[in-house]
Amino acid sequence: MTRQSLTPMTKVEVVVTGDDLPALREVFAAAGATGYTSVANVSGVGHHGFHQGRLAFNERDALTLVITVVPDDRAEAVLAGVQLLLADRPGVMFVSDTSVSRPEYFR
Amino acid sequence: MTLAGGGGTARARTRIDVEVAARVIGPVWPLRSFIAVNPLDGLVEIGFDAAVAQAQRWLRARCHPDLGLLRAARHAGRITDDDLRASVLARHPSLGDDEVAAFLSELLERPVARPPAVPRTAAERCDERLGTHLAVTVDAMVATWCAAFVDEGAAAWPMPGRSEGLYRAWRRLAPHDPGLRRLAGRQARAELRHLSEHPEDAIVEALDDLGVPPESYRDELRGQLCRLPGWTGYARWREDWAPPDEPAPRFSLVDLLAVRLVHERLAVRAAGATPRAVVRAIHSQPVGQEPDDHAAVWLDAYERHYRDELLATMARPTPASSIRRPVAQLVCCIDARSEGLRRHLEATGDYETLGFAGFFGMAIRFRPLGATDVRAQCPVLVTPGVSIEERPIPGQERLAERHLARGETAAAAGSAFHAAKTGTGAAFTLAEISGWVTGAAAAARTLRPRRRVRAERRSRPRTAPTVDANADGLGFTLDEQVLYAETALVTMGLTGGFAPLVLLCGHRGRTTNNPHASALDCGACGGNPGGPNARVAAAILNRSEVRSDLRERGVDIPSRTWFVAGEHDTTTDTVEILDRHDIPPGLAGAVAAFERDLAQAARRLAAERVRVLPGGRVRRPAAHAAVRAHDWAEVRPEWGLARNAAFVVGPRAMSVGLDLGCRTFLHSYDPAVDPDGTALETILTAPMVVAQWINAQYYFSTVDPDVFGGGDKTQHNAVGGVGVLLGGGGDLRAGLPTQSVLDGDDPYHEPMRLLTVVQAPLERITAVVDRNDVLRHLFDGGWVTLAARSHPDAPWQLRCGDGTWAQWQPAVRGDDDMEVPV
């Protein structure tokens, strides 16, 4: 398989608290994303210092990394929604070009 | 189907606008798992003062205790002028003596007024301008659709198309709604036939048609949601908190707003208003909300008095414990009601008691014997990872089958009775035919409560939870058992000094004919009885393989120690030992002696508790408590968690021998076994968060029962298993019923924000708080006061809003209180 045989798409990665996951899912659905992958209990250092990732009995206030891949023509909708969500909530978003082998899964 | 490009972008924006608009309203759990929650939880990040300003404006809520309550508290010595003076100076440190006196003089005279109502929606603005009643008309119509949509099996003819969501299901039926035709005229029918497919599009079209400029979308949406905060809260639960396999149809904020805005748009237009002009005119008016400084000072003084008393009491040396080796240990839930049981048990003999979240660290999905539904038995902050079923133990299978068959027969009879009761014509004849039977049965239930409970227990087969992983995908692996056991023991600081008997005691309420029954169960178990979690935890801790692995991890449970499961019925104050068949015969005598002392402690607690219930000054309090539990007409079986005020983290030595009046959540903690602060972090980010929700629910339900409370129980109508209405329709009522917080017209609950008291190294507490946003928001935003000391001999410190510590200084107690009418 060569890279030329893959289909270019946009990958959006978002780190939010568990509290904001439902809103993020709403944005993805409204923007036409067909799915996502989430990695619970991530931790790290940001401009507010160390953020605890894993809490024994509280998933709502732990951090989650959510990854979605969308065709380029849907990327703007995802980005607009996530930017609005993060306007007054903690979290970060990373956007990058990517390639997928099964484009029909993402349309 | 979703569209890419511009449509998708606009819809994504609308979804966020709706989500932000709804933050002023807290989620509302359905009745089957009703739990207390902070009604302003969505605004925790902006701090208490800013959050209540939002609630005052949008919900038109009173957010501080009213002056009558505060003056009565001052009259009773629960607030002194020294408290008030200290609170004024805390908020305004630059004031001189004369200015403080002037402030206090005004404070004591001026009432705490409800803020003026500012129109929030297009219909409200039309009503104000034109004298119409559009807003309440739209409320009633939309609420009726909501009730029809969420029905959970009560209706013989459910609303069609519910799987598509409220908006699409309603859109299909709307052209045939005679109410809408009356509201909007026949010409509206054509418009209703061509409504947008997507609720987001319908929202934006309606907002544009109503003349709302895009920069005011969120305000208009917030105003619309605040017309029906109960249904909005239910939608927030359904969207944000319901489990993925929730059987109830999806009920979303976007759908609710789309339905409401279409109604509103048609109503405003039919009223002949010129909405664009009206809306633009109103939206151009600035709407400010001045913070009520006086109300804040009163509240601070009220809390300060309680805080000073509690910290002063706990600063004194506690009576030296003479218990060297306790005969038994009792581990209760942190629930404030457990404090009384612990205190009275300790007074009967050589017992040690501990507090831990009542799910005992076992986040499970539990299916009781023969049940079709599965309960999430853990705090709602956690997704349960392990499924457990209750099954008959070997040799009890036939008895279990007979027991279940009896249950099915009773369920079938109940179902037939229910069908007859809800039938249009049958209901009247049913009352004539069956009234003499059902009335006698109800009377028997009420008058012979204990006999009924004993009979139920006798007929039950012996069962056990499926603790070990099995081929059905149920249960824990050994590694999971060890991990859960270690987490529970280390978090509560029970890593040594085990007594021969350790009773893990869950709790439950027991009431009859009470839609809010689950509010009296264990909040840490998701609003369910805590017995199943105690059974699972005890079974795990008795496994020799688990103990062997725990020993390698430094927790050595002696072989002579046995964990027993139990359940405290907080309504009748009885403690039931569960899974007796598991207890080694050699311990029968010790268990019997323990039970005798538990029964004595429970009787004393019942006497103390019943005395403060209206109508509770009786000669036989224990019997009276039992009657209240089974009386189908009793609106106040117990006070629940009313008067809760503080959350105490530390060893029992901090509070042993003190009567804390069932007002404190007590969580055991041993700083010595938690050097990296993991256990403290667990306690503060989970049990304390749940305690703060409970505290805030009681607070807001008391300070404004009309906005935040569940209303009068005698007027409740349960709707679709999701909530209650007052009377026959209208908004879902969230919050605690009036009878849970008020005694007649007077508050029984003392509305004050939570005080958290921790005994642990200050630098450890600071580190834990600083790395968790939720704790910073609660402690630094004015939702919770944090007091701490490093060790028993250290002075108390209070965490300041900027994250520093200041030594606690009680308000100076003088005798110069001013003469002001109360």
Side-chain angles (χ1 to χ4, degrees):
Chain A
M1 183 181 288
T2 63
R3 191 173 175 97
Q4 283 75 16
S5 67
L6 302 176
T7 304
M9 292 213 176
T10 302
K11 180 166 76 171
V12 182
E13 298 164 278
V14 189
V15 178
V16 290
T17 64
D19 247 351
D20 288 327
L21 271 180
L24 188 63
R25 286 196 292 261
E26 292 280 312
V27 167
F28 287 174
T34 57
Y36 60 87
T37 299
S38 65
V39 184
N41 299 323
V42 297
S43 58
V45 176
H47 69 291
H48 278 141
F50 179 68
H51 288 270
Q52 180 63 293
R54 186 181 185 283
L55 297 171
F57 299 129
N58 185 344
E59 294 162 8
R60 300 291 298 198
D61 293 300
L63 297 175
T64 299
L65 168 65
V66 189
I67 307 161
T68 190
V69 173
V70 290
D72 292 346
D73 63 345
R74 293 181 198 172
E76 285 306 313
V78 174
L79 303 188
V82 176
Q83 278 179 311
L84 269 180
L85 175 67
L86 297 183
D88 61 348
R89 300 295 258 201
V92 289
M93 173 169 68
F94 315 110
V95 184
S96 54
D97 296 332
T98 191
S99 304
V100 301
S101 59
R102 291 171 168 160
E104 65 275 15
Y105 286 10
F106 301 91
R107 292 190 173 124
Chain B
M1 190 188 81
T2 51
L3 292 177
T9 303
R11 281 174 212 135
R13 285 180 181 278
T14 303
R15 292 257 167 183
I16 293 300
D17 284 340
V18 170
E19 196 276 331
V20 173
R23 286 179 194 165
V24 73
I25 296 167
V28 176
W29 261 255
L31 287 175
R32 64 176 179 276
S33 56
F34 183 94
I35 59 155
V37 61
N38 179 2
L40 303 184
D41 185 58
L43 302 176
V44 161
E45 288 173 25
I46 64 175
F48 181 82
D49 287 346
V52 301
Q54 291 277 318
Q56 284 166 351
R57 177 185 172 187
W58 292 104
L59 292 165
R60 298 172 177 170
R62 184 188 296 123
C63 293
H64 295 86
D66 78 20
L67 197 60
L69 180 151
L70 296 164
R71 282 182 165 165
R74 181 168 171 268
H75 187 56
R78 311 278 300 123
I79 303 174
T80 66
D81 292 341
D82 292 318
D83 298 321
L84 288 167
R85 198 172 289 115
S87 296
V88 172
L89 282 170
R91 291 182 78 87
H92 304 286
S94 60
L95 293 185
D97 288 349
D98 291 347
E99 291 165 309
V100 170
F103 191 110
L104 286 175
S105 180
E106 189 188 343
L107 177 85
L108 293 165
E109 296 295 343
R110 205 188 80 172
V112 178
R114 199 177 271 262
V118 176
R120 302 163 296 185
T121 68
E124 286 182 2
R125 288 185 281 273
C126 285
D127 288 345
E128 188 177 67
R129 289 286 177 96
L130 306 176
T132 51
H133 302 285
L134 301 183
V136 292
T137 304
V138 170
D139 290 347
M141 295 177 73
V142 175
T144 302
W145 282 110
C146 291
F149 182 82
V150 302
D151 170 74
E152 286 188 3
W157 188 12
M159 186 172 168
R162 294 198 303 166
S163 62
E164 298 177 75
L166 173 67
Y167 173 72
R168 290 193 173 101
W170 167 82
R171 177 170 161 259
R172 198 183 291 176
L173 299 173
H176 312 289
D177 180 2
L180 261 176
R181 280 206 299 277
R182 275 196 299 277
L183 178 73
R186 297 185 69 83
Q187 66 278 12
R189 200 167 175 176
E191 190 171 340
L192 288 167
R193 285 186 192 285
H194 296 95
L195 290 173
S196 294
E197 182 194 348
H198 295 278
E200 300 94 335
D201 298 349
I203 288 172
V204 173
E205 285 162 16
L207 290 172
D208 289 345
D209 199 43
L210 287 165
V212 180
E215 65 271 20
S216 298
Y217 277 4
R218 286 186 184 178
D219 280 353
E220 182 67 25
L221 295 173
R222 190 177 291 117
Q224 296 282 344
L225 291 171
C226 287
R227 290 287 317 178
L228 293 173
W231 286 114
T232 299
Y234 178 71
R236 284 208 58 196
W237 169 79
R238 187 66 186 81
E239 281 193 343
D240 295 358
W241 294 90
D245 56 352
E246 169 62 33
R250 188 171 159 78
F251 183 82
S252 71
L253 291 165
V254 168
D255 279 354
L256 175 62
L257 273 168
V259 172
R260 186 177 173 95
L261 277 162
V262 172
H263 277 82
E264 191 132 343
R265 165 192 186 182
L266 294 174
V268 168
R269 191 190 303 156
T274 53
R276 283 176 186 277
V278 171
V279 170
R280 287 215 169 116
I282 297 295
H283 271 291
S284 64
Q285 295 174 2
V287 180
Q289 183 68 54
E290 283 183 28
D292 192 330
D293 205 21
H294 286 186
V297 167
W298 269 114
L299 177 61
D300 183 56
Y302 195 30
E303 295 167 344
R304 180 183 296 269
H305 192 92
Y306 175 79
R307 181 172 73 228
D308 284 356
E309 284 188 343
L310 183 65
L311 295 183
T313 305
M314 288 203 295
R316 289 193 283 272
T318 51
S321 173
S322 59
I323 309 171
R324 266 186 259 155
R325 297 179 70 84
V327 293
Q329 287 159 322
L330 170 69
V331 184
C332 286
C333 180
I334 58 169
D335 187 287
R337 291 167 289 185
S338 301
E339 185 268 327
L341 185 67
R342 294 175 61 179
R343 169 168 33 96
H344 287 295
L345 179 72
E346 287 162 347
T348 65
D350 291 343
Y351 295 107
E352 182 182 6
T353 72
L354 298 100
F356 186 64
F359 74 121
F360 298 108
M362 305 294 148
I364 56 173
R365 289 160 50 83
F366 183 73
R367 186 194 301 277
L369 181 68
T372 53
D373 63 319
V374 178
R375 307 171 186 158
Q377 298 262 161
C378 55
V380 297
L381 301 167
V382 184
T383 305
V386 176
S387 293
I388 302 281
E389 287 186 4
E390 182 185 32
R391 292 184 174 173
I393 63 171
Q396 292 280 298
E397 293 86 353
R398 292 191 62 186
L399 182 59
E401 282 173 20
R402 286 201 297 275
H403 175 77
L404 292 177
R406 277 198 303 274
E408 282 171 15
T409 306
S415 177
F417 187 82
H418 178 75
K421 198 168 64 173
T422 52
T424 312
F428 299 102
T429 47
L430 181 74
E432 297 291 331
I433 295 168
S434 66
W436 62 280
V437 177
T438 53
R445 276 204 304 269
T446 304
L447 298 173
R448 297 278 183 184
R450 287 184 181 173
R451 185 173 295 181
R452 178 171 167 251
V453 171
R454 277 200 296 268
E456 281 174 1
R457 280 182 195 161
R458 272 200 302 271
S459 69
R460 283 187 61 79
R462 293 174 186 173
T463 62
T466 54
V467 169
D468 293 322
N470 64 21
D472 297 336
L474 304 169
F476 298 88
T477 63
L478 177 60
D479 286 348
E480 288 171 336
Q481 293 183 29
V482 173
L483 177 66
Y484 278 50
E486 184 189 21
T487 301
L489 294 174
V490 171
T491 304
M492 74 175 100
L494 182 58
T495 56
F498 292 93
L501 277 180
V502 183
L503 175 58
L504 304 181
C505 194
H507 67 96
R508 62 169 300 165
R510 189 179 295 278
T511 68
T512 307
N513 188 29
N514 179 7
H516 289 88
S518 61
L520 299 176
D521 287 335
C522 179
C525 297
N528 293 300
N533 298 72
R535 297 173 72 187
V536 170
I540 287 175
L541 287 163
N542 286 328
R543 294 273 193 281
S544 57
E545 305 92 318
V546 172
R547 291 188 181 188
S548 173
D549 282 11
L550 285 175
R551 201 167 294 121
E552 289 175 15
R553 294 166 180 243
V555 180
D556 189 1
I557 302 173
S559 58
R560 64 181 175 82
T561 292
W562 192 258
F563 287 83
V564 180
E567 197 169 59
H568 173 205
D569 181 332
T570 56
T571 315
T572 61
D573 274 322
T574 50
V575 178
E576 182 186 2
I577 301 293
L578 307 171
D579 294 338
R580 284 178 186 277
H581 51 269
D582 259 356
I583 300 173
L587 289 172
V591 171
F594 193 9
E595 279 192 277
R596 279 195 296 276
D597 286 343
L598 277 167
Q600 186 182 353
R603 278 195 301 276
R604 289 176 181 168
L605 176 58
E608 171 186 305
R609 213 173 43 76
V610 164
R611 203 163 43 240
V612 295
L613 281 166
R617 292 192 173 274
V618 293
R619 287 171 57 190
R620 299 175 61 213
H624 180 77
V627 168
R628 288 184 94 107
H630 294 87
D631 183 350
W632 43 269
E634 175 59 59
V635 292
R636 191 180 291 103
E638 58 165 294
W639 273 121
L641 287 136
R643 294 199 171 175
N644 74 82
F647 181 88
V648 179
V649 183
R652 177 61 169 155
M654 290 169 73
S655 54
V656 72
L658 304 178
D659 180 355
L660 300 178
C662 293
R663 303 191 64 176
T664 52
F665 302 85
L666 298 179
H667 202 303
S668 296
Y669 174 68
D670 180 359
V673 299
D674 182 41
D676 66 356
T678 302
L680 183 63
E681 185 165 50
T682 299
I683 293 168
L684 294 180
T685 56
M688 194 207 70
V689 170
V690 172
Q692 195 273 332
W693 281 11
I694 293 169
N695 172 269
Q697 179 95 81
Y698 272 87
Y699 175 92
F700 286 108
S701 292
T702 305
V703 298
D704 198 336
D706 292 335
V707 173
F708 295 115
D712 186 340
K713 279 184 172 179
T714 62
Q715 298 174 32
H716 280 174
N717 266 321
V719 54
V722 302
V724 293
L725 306 176
L726 285 192
D731 194 19
L732 210 58
R733 293 303 299 258
L736 294 163
T738 307
Q739 285 87 353
S740 296
V741 293
L742 303 184
D743 181 359
D745 292 330
D746 299 323
Y748 174 78
H749 177 64
E750 294 189 353
M752 52 182 75
R753 292 166 293 181
L754 190 68
L755 165 66
T756 290
V757 183
V758 182
Q759 185 171 300
L762 294 187
E763 58 277 17
R764 186 182 305 171
I765 301 171
T766 299
V768 167
V769 173
D770 286 352
R771 65 180 181 239
N772 285 283
D773 285 347
V774 61
L775 299 180
R776 279 206 306 271
H777 294 145
L778 290 174
F779 293 138
D780 300 342
W783 298 95
V784 180
T785 298
L786 175 59
R789 65 182 179 193
S790 295
H791 53 84
D793 300 324
W796 290 113
Q797 306 282 333
L798 296 177
R799 180 175 166 102
C800 307
D802 60 0
T804 60
W805 295 95
Q807 189 166 327
W808 166 65
Q809 300 285 348
V812 178
R813 304 288 171 207
D815 54 2
D816 59 341
D817 284 4
M818 291 177 292
E819 288 298 322
V820 177
V822 294

